[in-house]
Each structure stands twice: as C-alpha cells, then as structure tokens.
Amino acid sequence: MPRYEYRCRTCDDTFEVSRPMAESSAPADCPAGHADTVKLLSAVAVGGSSSAPAPARPMGGGGGGGGCCGGGGCG
C-alpha cells in the first residue's frame, strides 16, 4: 500500500499515512489531531536487483550516427 507524506500547518509536524491509491487525495489529520494539513510531493526511490552499475554511454562523435538528423549529413 502506498505511503503519503503530509505536513501539519498548525504544528509543522511531518507524518506519513498508508492508504490505497483511490484515497490518495483524501484529507489526513496530523497525529496531534489538527486538520489543517497539506500533502507533500515526495520523490520516488526505485531500487534494482543488479549490483553492477549501468554502463556509461559514449560522449561526443562516437561514429554511431544519430544527432539532430539521424546521421544523414545535416547540410
């Protein structure tokens, strides 16, 4: 179940609420009982199962074509 982060405007406390996505926009009271809360925009962390880093992509004119016109000689 997704977790949503909220901040209370009254006491400035930050807290999380676990709820279904269908209820994601429903208001949430802070743990101290205040109703004036705002839902925060949280960054999503996505983990992978690979321990190897992603391969680096070559920079510059590596001869692979592409660019603005697909390597067709922009001229």
Coordinates of all heavy atoms in Angstrom, one line a residue:
M1 N 0.8 -1.2 0.0 CA 0.0 0.0 0.0 C 0.9 1.2 0.0 O 1.9 1.3 0.8 CB -0.9 0.0 1.2 CG -1.9 1.0 1.2 SD -3.2 1.0 2.5 CE -3.7 -0.7 2.5
P2 N 0.6 2.2 -0.8 CA 1.4 3.4 -0.9 C 1.4 4.2 0.4 O 0.4 4.2 1.1 CB 0.8 4.2 -2.1 CG -0.1 3.3 -2.8 CD -0.5 2.2 -1.8
R3 N 2.5 4.9 0.6 CA 2.6 5.8 1.8 C 2.7 7.3 1.3 O 3.4 7.6 0.3 CB 3.8 5.5 2.6 CG 3.8 4.1 3.1 CD 5.1 3.7 3.8 NE 5.1 4.3 5.1 CZ 6.0 4.1 6.0 NH1 7.0 3.3 5.7 NH2 5.9 4.6 7.2
Y4 N 1.9 8.1 1.9 CA 1.9 9.5 1.5 C 2.4 10.4 2.7 O 2.0 10.1 3.8 CB 0.4 9.9 1.1 CG -0.1 9.1 0.0 CD1 -0.9 8.0 0.2 CD2 0.2 9.5 -1.3 CE1 -1.3 7.2 -0.9 CE2 -0.2 8.7 -2.4 CZ -1.0 7.6 -2.2 OH -1.4 6.8 -3.2
E5 N 3.1 11.4 2.4 CA 3.7 12.3 3.4 C 2.9 13.6 3.5 O 2.6 14.2 2.4 CB 5.2 12.5 3.1 CG 5.9 13.2 4.2 CD 7.4 13.3 3.8 OE1 7.8 13.3 2.7 OE2 8.2 13.5 4.8
Y6 N 2.6 14.0 4.7 CA 1.9 15.2 4.9 C 2.6 16.1 5.9 O 3.5 15.6 6.7 CB 0.5 14.9 5.6 CG -0.4 14.1 4.6 CD1 -0.4 12.7 4.5 CD2 -1.4 14.8 3.9 CE1 -1.2 12.1 3.6 CE2 -2.3 14.1 3.1 CZ -2.2 12.8 2.9 OH -3.0 12.1 2.1
R7 N 2.3 17.4 5.9 CA 2.8 18.3 6.9 C 1.6 19.1 7.5 O 0.7 19.5 6.8 CB 3.8 19.3 6.2 CG 4.4 20.3 7.3 CD 5.4 21.2 6.6 NE 4.8 22.1 5.6 CZ 4.1 23.2 5.8 NH1 3.9 23.6 7.0 NH2 3.6 23.8 4.8
C8 N 1.7 19.2 8.8 CA 0.6 19.9 9.5 C 1.0 21.4 9.5 O 2.1 21.8 9.9 CB 0.5 19.4 11.0 SG -0.7 20.3 11.9
R9 N 0.0 22.2 9.1 CA 0.3 23.7 9.1 C 0.2 24.3 10.5 O 0.7 25.4 10.7 CB -0.7 24.3 8.1 CG -0.5 24.0 6.7 CD -1.5 24.6 5.8 NE -1.3 24.3 4.4 CZ -2.2 24.5 3.4 NH1 -3.3 25.1 3.7 NH2 -1.9 24.1 2.2
T10 N -0.5 23.6 11.4 CA -0.7 24.1 12.7 C 0.6 23.9 13.6 O 1.1 24.8 14.2 CB -1.9 23.5 13.4 OG1 -3.0 23.7 12.6 CG2 -2.1 24.0 14.8
C11 N 1.1 22.6 13.6 CA 2.2 22.3 14.5 C 3.5 22.1 13.7 O 4.5 21.8 14.3 CB 1.9 21.2 15.4 SG 1.7 19.6 14.5
D12 N 3.5 22.1 12.4 CA 4.6 22.0 11.5 C 5.2 20.6 11.6 O 6.4 20.3 11.2 CB 5.7 23.0 11.8 CG 6.6 23.3 10.6 OD1 6.0 23.2 9.4 OD2 7.8 23.6 10.7
D13 N 4.5 19.6 12.1 CA 4.9 18.2 12.1 C 4.8 17.6 10.7 O 3.8 17.9 10.0 CB 4.1 17.4 13.2 CG 4.6 16.0 13.4 OD1 5.8 15.8 13.2 OD2 3.8 15.2 13.9
T14 N 5.7 16.7 10.4 CA 5.6 15.9 9.1 C 5.3 14.5 9.5 O 5.9 13.9 10.4 CB 6.9 16.0 8.4 OG1 7.2 17.4 8.1 CG2 6.9 15.3 7.0
F15 N 4.4 13.8 8.8 CA 4.0 12.5 9.1 C 3.6 11.8 7.8 O 3.4 12.4 6.8 CB 2.8 12.5 10.1 CG 1.6 13.2 9.6 CD1 0.5 12.5 9.1 CD2 1.4 14.5 9.7 CE1 -0.6 13.1 8.6 CE2 0.3 15.2 9.3 CZ -0.7 14.5 8.7
E16 N 3.5 10.4 7.9 CA 3.1 9.6 6.8 C 1.8 8.8 7.0 O 1.5 8.5 8.2 CB 4.2 8.6 6.5 CG 5.5 9.2 6.0 CD 6.6 8.1 5.6 OE1 6.4 7.0 6.0 OE2 7.6 8.5 5.0
V17 N 1.1 8.6 6.0 CA -0.2 7.8 6.1 C -0.1 6.8 5.0 O 0.2 7.1 3.8 CB -1.4 8.8 5.9 CG1 -2.7 8.0 5.9 CG2 -1.4 9.8 6.9
S18 N -0.4 5.5 5.3 CA -0.5 4.4 4.3 C -2.0 4.3 4.0 O -2.8 4.2 4.9 CB 0.0 3.1 4.9 OG 1.4 3.2 5.2
R19 N -2.3 4.4 2.7 CA -3.7 4.3 2.3 C -3.7 3.8 0.8 O -2.7 4.0 0.1 CB -4.4 5.6 2.5 CG -3.8 6.8 1.8 CD -4.7 8.0 1.8 NE -5.2 8.3 3.2 CZ -5.6 9.5 3.6 NH1 -5.5 10.5 2.7 NH2 -6.0 9.7 4.8
P20 N -4.8 3.3 0.3 CA -4.9 2.9 -1.1 C -4.8 4.1 -2.0 O -5.1 5.2 -1.6 CB -6.3 2.3 -1.2 CG -6.8 2.0 0.2 CD -6.0 3.0 1.1
M21 N -4.4 3.9 -3.2 CA -4.3 5.0 -4.2 C -5.6 5.7 -4.4 O -5.6 6.9 -4.7 CB -3.7 4.5 -5.5 CG -2.2 4.1 -5.4 SD -1.5 3.4 -6.9 CE -1.3 4.9 -7.8
A22 N -6.7 5.0 -4.3 CA -8.0 5.6 -4.6 C -8.3 6.6 -3.5 O -9.1 7.5 -3.7 CB -9.1 4.5 -4.5
E23 N -7.6 6.6 -2.4 CA -7.8 7.6 -1.3 C -6.7 8.5 -1.2 O -6.5 9.2 -0.2 CB -8.0 6.8 0.0 CG -9.3 5.9 0.1 CD -9.3 5.1 1.3 OE1 -8.7 5.5 2.3 OE2 -10.1 4.1 1.4
S24 N -5.9 8.6 -2.2 CA -4.6 9.4 -2.1 C -4.9 10.9 -1.9 O -4.1 11.6 -1.4 CB -3.8 9.3 -3.4 OG -4.5 9.8 -4.5
S25 N -6.1 11.4 -2.4 CA -6.3 12.8 -2.3 C -7.2 13.2 -1.1 O -7.6 14.3 -0.9 CB -7.0 13.4 -3.6 OG -8.2 12.7 -3.8
A26 N -7.6 12.1 -0.3 CA -8.4 12.4 0.9 C -7.6 13.1 1.9 O -6.4 12.9 2.1 CB -8.9 11.1 1.5
P27 N -8.2 14.0 2.7 CA -7.5 14.8 3.7 C -7.0 13.8 4.9 O -7.6 12.8 5.1 CB -8.5 15.8 4.3 CG -9.9 15.3 3.8 CD -9.6 14.4 2.6
A28 N -6.0 14.3 5.6 CA -5.4 13.5 6.7 C -5.2 14.4 7.9 O -4.6 15.4 7.7 CB -4.2 12.8 6.2
D29 N -5.7 14.0 9.0 CA -5.4 14.7 10.2 C -4.0 14.3 10.8 O -3.6 13.2 10.6 CB -6.4 14.4 11.3 CG -7.8 14.9 11.0 OD1 -7.9 15.8 10.1 OD2 -8.8 14.5 11.6
C30 N -3.3 15.3 11.4 CA -2.0 15.0 11.9 C -2.2 14.2 13.2 O -3.2 14.2 13.8 CB -1.2 16.3 12.1 SG -1.4 17.1 13.7
P31 N -1.1 13.5 13.7 CA -1.2 12.7 14.9 C -1.6 13.5 16.1 O -2.2 13.0 17.0 CB 0.2 12.2 15.0 CG 0.8 12.2 13.7 CD 0.2 13.4 13.0
A32 N -1.4 14.8 16.1 CA -1.8 15.7 17.2 C -3.3 16.1 17.1 O -3.8 16.8 18.0 CB -0.9 16.9 17.3
G33 N -4.0 15.7 16.0 CA -5.4 15.9 15.9 C -5.7 17.2 15.1 O -6.9 17.5 15.0
H34 N -4.8 17.9 14.5 CA -5.0 19.0 13.7 C -5.5 18.6 12.3 O -5.0 17.7 11.8 CB -3.8 19.9 13.6 CG -3.2 20.3 14.9 ND1 -1.9 20.0 15.3 CD2 -3.8 21.0 16.0 CE1 -1.7 20.5 16.5 NE2 -2.8 21.1 17.0
A35 N -6.4 19.3 11.8 CA -7.0 19.0 10.5 C -6.4 19.8 9.3 O -6.5 19.5 8.2 CB -8.5 19.2 10.5
D36 N -5.6 20.9 9.6 CA -5.0 21.7 8.6 C -3.7 21.2 8.1 O -2.6 21.6 8.6 CB -4.9 23.2 9.1 CG -4.5 24.2 8.1 OD1 -4.6 23.8 6.9 OD2 -4.1 25.3 8.4
T37 N -3.8 20.2 7.2 CA -2.6 19.5 6.7 C -2.5 19.7 5.2 O -3.5 20.0 4.5 CB -2.6 18.0 7.0 OG1 -3.7 17.4 6.4 CG2 -2.6 17.8 8.5
V38 N -1.3 19.5 4.7 CA -1.0 19.5 3.2 C -0.2 18.3 2.8 O 0.7 17.9 3.6 CB -0.3 20.9 2.9 CG1 1.0 21.0 3.5 CG2 -0.2 21.0 1.4
K39 N -0.6 17.7 1.7 CA 0.1 16.6 1.2 C 1.4 17.0 0.5 O 1.4 18.0 -0.3 CB -0.8 15.8 0.2 CG -0.2 14.5 -0.2 CD -1.2 13.7 -1.0 CE -0.7 13.1 -2.2 NZ -1.6 12.5 -3.1
L40 N 2.5 16.4 0.8 CA 3.8 16.8 0.3 C 4.1 16.0 -1.0 O 3.7 14.9 -1.1 CB 4.9 16.6 1.3 CG 4.8 17.3 2.6 CD1 5.9 17.0 3.6 CD2 4.7 18.8 2.4
L41 N 4.8 16.6 -1.9 CA 5.3 15.9 -3.1 C 6.6 15.2 -2.7 O 7.6 15.8 -2.3 CB 5.6 16.9 -4.2 CG 6.0 16.3 -5.5 CD1 5.0 15.4 -6.1 CD2 6.3 17.5 -6.5
S42 N 6.5 13.8 -2.8 CA 7.7 13.0 -2.4 C 8.4 12.5 -3.6 O 7.8 12.1 -4.6 CB 7.2 11.9 -1.5 OG 6.6 12.3 -0.4
A43 N 9.7 12.4 -3.5 CA 10.5 11.8 -4.6 C 10.3 10.2 -4.4 O 10.3 9.7 -3.3 CB 11.9 12.2 -4.5
V44 N 10.3 9.6 -5.6 CA 10.1 8.1 -5.5 C 11.5 7.5 -5.7 O 12.2 7.8 -6.6 CB 9.2 7.7 -6.7 CG1 9.1 6.2 -6.7 CG2 7.8 8.3 -6.5
A45 N 11.8 6.5 -4.8 CA 13.0 5.8 -4.9 C 12.7 4.4 -5.5 O 11.9 3.7 -5.0 CB 13.7 5.7 -3.6
V46 N 13.4 4.1 -6.6 CA 13.2 2.8 -7.3 C 14.5 2.1 -7.2 O 15.6 2.5 -7.6 CB 12.8 3.0 -8.7 CG1 12.6 1.7 -9.4 CG2 11.6 3.9 -8.9
G47 N 14.4 0.9 -6.6 CA 15.6 0.1 -6.4 C 15.7 -1.0 -7.5 O 14.6 -1.5 -7.9
G48 N 16.8 -1.4 -7.8 CA 17.0 -2.5 -8.8 C 17.6 -3.7 -8.1 O 18.1 -3.7 -7.0
S49 N 17.7 -4.8 -8.8 CA 18.2 -6.0 -8.2 C 19.7 -6.2 -8.7 O 20.4 -7.1 -8.2 CB 17.4 -7.2 -8.6 OG 17.4 -7.4 -10.0
S50 N 20.2 -5.5 -9.6 CA 21.5 -5.6 -10.1 C 22.5 -4.9 -9.2 O 22.3 -3.8 -8.8 CB 21.6 -5.1 -11.5 OG 23.0 -5.1 -12.0
S51 N 23.7 -5.5 -8.9 CA 24.7 -4.8 -8.1 C 25.7 -4.1 -9.0 O 26.5 -3.3 -8.5 CB 25.4 -5.8 -7.2 OG 26.0 -6.8 -8.0
A52 N 25.6 -4.3 -10.3 CA 26.6 -3.7 -11.2 C 26.0 -2.3 -11.7 O 24.8 -2.2 -11.9 CB 26.8 -4.6 -12.5
P53 N 26.9 -1.3 -11.8 CA 26.4 0.0 -12.3 C 26.0 -0.1 -13.7 O 26.5 -0.9 -14.5 CB 27.6 0.9 -12.1 CG 28.8 0.0 -12.1 CD 28.3 -1.3 -11.5
A54 N 25.2 0.8 -14.2 CA 24.7 0.9 -15.6 C 25.9 1.3 -16.4 O 26.8 2.1 -16.0 CB 23.6 1.9 -15.7
P55 N 26.0 0.7 -17.6 CA 27.2 1.0 -18.5 C 27.1 2.5 -18.9 O 26.0 3.1 -19.1 CB 27.0 0.1 -19.7 CG 25.6 -0.3 -19.7 CD 25.1 -0.3 -18.3
A56 N 28.3 3.1 -19.0 CA 28.4 4.5 -19.4 C 28.1 4.6 -20.9 O 28.5 3.8 -21.7 CB 29.7 5.1 -19.1
R57 N 27.4 5.7 -21.3 CA 27.1 5.9 -22.7 C 28.2 6.8 -23.2 O 28.7 7.8 -22.6 CB 25.8 6.6 -22.8 CG 24.6 5.7 -22.4 CD 23.3 6.4 -22.5 NE 23.1 7.2 -23.7 CZ 22.0 7.8 -23.9 NH1 21.0 7.8 -23.0 NH2 21.8 8.6 -25.0
P58 N 28.7 6.5 -24.4 CA 29.8 7.3 -25.0 C 29.4 8.7 -25.3 O 28.2 9.0 -25.7 CB 30.2 6.6 -26.3 CG 29.0 5.7 -26.6 CD 28.3 5.4 -25.3
M59 N 30.3 9.7 -25.1 CA 30.0 11.1 -25.3 C 30.7 11.5 -26.7 O 31.7 10.9 -27.1 CB 30.6 11.9 -24.2 CG 30.1 11.6 -22.8 SD 28.4 12.2 -22.5 CE 28.8 14.0 -22.5
G60 N 30.1 12.5 -27.3 CA 30.8 13.0 -28.5 C 30.5 12.2 -29.7 O 29.6 11.4 -29.8
G61 N 31.3 12.5 -30.8 CA 31.1 11.8 -32.1 C 31.7 10.4 -32.1 O 32.8 10.2 -32.6
G62 N 31.0 9.5 -31.5 CA 31.5 8.1 -31.5 C 31.3 7.4 -32.8 O 31.4 6.2 -32.8
G63 N 30.8 8.0 -33.8 CA 30.7 7.4 -35.1 C 29.4 6.6 -35.2 O 29.2 5.9 -36.1
G64 N 28.5 6.7 -34.2 CA 27.3 5.9 -34.2 C 26.1 6.6 -34.9 O 25.0 6.1 -34.9
G65 N 26.3 7.7 -35.6 CA 25.2 8.4 -36.2 C 24.3 9.1 -35.2 O 24.8 9.5 -34.1
G66 N 23.1 9.2 -35.5 CA 22.2 9.9 -34.6 C 22.2 11.4 -34.7 O 22.2 11.9 -35.8
G67 N 22.3 12.1 -33.6 CA 22.4 13.5 -33.7 C 21.0 14.1 -34.0 O 20.0 13.5 -33.9
C68 N 21.0 15.3 -34.5 CA 19.8 16.0 -34.8 C 19.0 15.5 -36.0 O 17.8 15.6 -36.1 CB 20.0 17.5 -35.0 SG 21.0 17.9 -36.5
C69 N 19.7 14.8 -36.9 CA 19.0 14.3 -38.1 C 19.3 12.9 -38.4 O 19.2 12.5 -39.6 CB 19.4 15.2 -39.3 SG 21.2 15.2 -39.6
G70 N 19.6 12.1 -37.4 CA 19.8 10.7 -37.6 C 21.0 10.3 -38.3 O 21.1 9.2 -38.9
G71 N 22.0 11.2 -38.4 CA 23.3 10.8 -39.0 C 23.3 11.0 -40.5 O 24.1 10.5 -41.2
G72 N 22.3 11.7 -41.1 CA 22.2 11.9 -42.5 C 22.9 13.1 -43.1 O 22.5 13.5 -44.2
G73 N 23.9 13.6 -42.4 CA 24.6 14.7 -43.0 C 23.8 16.0 -43.1 O 23.2 16.4 -44.1
C74 N 23.7 16.7 -42.0 CA 22.9 17.9 -41.9 C 23.5 19.1 -42.7 O 24.3 19.8 -42.2 CB 22.8 18.4 -40.4 SG 22.1 17.1 -39.3
G75 N 23.2 19.2 -43.8 CA 23.9 20.3 -44.5 C 23.2 20.8 -45.7 O 22.8 21.2 -46.5

